Amino acid sequence: QMLNSKQMQKSKEMRILGYLYIFLSELIEDNNDVQIFDKDINRKEKYVRKIVDYINLNYATKIKINEIANYVGLDRSYMGAIFKEYLNTSPQNYLINLKMSKACELMKDQDLSIGDISRSVGYEDPLLFSKMFKKIKGVPPSEYKKMVGDEGLEPPTFTTSRWHSANWVNRPPIWNILIIKQSIINNQ
């Protein structure tokens, strides 16, 4: 039918366009992939994944939220809104918590100083790092590092939303107190 429309003079372009729409609608109907209709949700999820990937790759540098927004090609406030929609936290909090988690891993190495650890996670100023670490983890980094080194046990894991206590019974009592203290701080 599309080939026959070449012979029409007045409505040739309209008819071809109409056939094209019919053809495309048939393709959509034949495609069983539901993701076509969830395009907006998929797009948001892809943005969030791209943001998380960027943060995970660059947490050790001094990255700014505007840089992340520029990288993914979104407005800063819109980026923050979709990130919070999917992960229930802001990109800034995610970045800070990731840095503190990585710092906790590094504190297992007793040869590294607090300054070395702070620089390894993107803080040039060890004092600012210590302040942020205490705010997030509930104890100063030096005390946390000492607990990890002295006890040889895995310290409690804190997050800004909830606390986890995998081996509650096997932990020294001070860690149980720290977990409760962190939980109270986070719920204020």
Side-chain angles (χ1 to χ4, degrees):
Q1 290 178 354
M2 284 179 71
L3 296 175
N4 292 338
S5 65
K6 281 186 175 182
Q7 297 166 357
M8 300 179 142
Q9 296 298 318
K10 295 181 182 177
S11 61
K12 179 170 114 179
E13 287 182 36
M14 278 294 231
R15 184 164 290 211
I16 291 173
L17 188 59
Y19 287 136
L20 181 61
Y21 282 129
I22 291 170
F23 175 70
L24 290 175
S25 71
E26 290 294 326
L27 284 176
I28 291 171
E29 290 298 322
D30 288 343
N31 187 354
N32 293 330
D33 193 1
V34 181
Q35 291 181 353
I36 292 172
F37 301 105
D38 295 332
K39 183 172 64 172
D40 193 41
I41 293 169
N42 251 352
R43 187 178 312 133
K44 286 180 181 180
E45 191 175 312
K46 285 179 184 177
Y47 281 132
V48 171
R49 285 183 184 156
K50 197 170 180 181
I51 295 164
V52 168
D53 288 345
Y54 185 85
I55 292 172
N56 288 338
L57 288 172
N58 296 292
Y59 75 89
T61 63
K62 190 172 183 172
I63 57 174
K64 296 178 180 160
I65 301 304
N66 282 338
E67 290 174 27
I68 301 169
N70 289 337
Y71 174 76
V72 295
L74 295 175
D75 175 67
R76 179 188 167 132
S77 58
Y78 179 68
M79 180 190 76
I82 64 169
F83 195 87
K84 190 161 186 118
E85 178 183 333
Y86 277 83
L87 298 179
N88 293 324
T89 189
S90 69
Q92 184 70 36
N93 283 340
Y94 180 87
L95 174 61
I96 291 169
N97 281 303
L98 178 65
K99 287 180 180 222
M100 296 307 139
S101 293
K102 297 293 184 180
C104 289
E105 291 174 22
L106 292 171
M107 286 191 200
K108 294 175 187 175
D109 184 349
Q110 295 298 311
D111 294 332
L112 292 175
S113 70
I114 301 298
D116 293 336
I117 294 169
S118 72
R119 286 184 291 280
S120 295
V121 295
Y123 285 92
E124 290 300 317
D125 182 6
L127 188 60
L128 176 61
F129 166 75
S130 295
K131 188 173 156 183
M132 290 302 293
F133 189 92
K134 184 173 182 181
K135 181 180 176 186
I136 301 296
K137 300 295 182 184
V139 293
S142 55
E143 193 175 320
Y144 186 94
K145 186 172 168 77
K146 185 178 177 193
M147 285 190 296
V148 173
D150 290 347
E151 302 295 332
L153 295 173
E154 196 66 30
T157 303
F158 303 110
T159 65
T160 55
S161 58
R162 26 179 110 90
W163 48 272
H164 307 278
S165 56
N167 296 315
W168 183 270
V169 179
N170 298 331
R171 292 196 169 128
I174 185 70
W175 286 356
N176 297 339
I177 293 169
L178 293 174
I179 290 171
I180 294 167
K181 179 180 172 187
Q182 186 65 33
S183 178
I184 292 168
I185 290 169
N186 290 335
N187 290 326
Q188 289 180 348

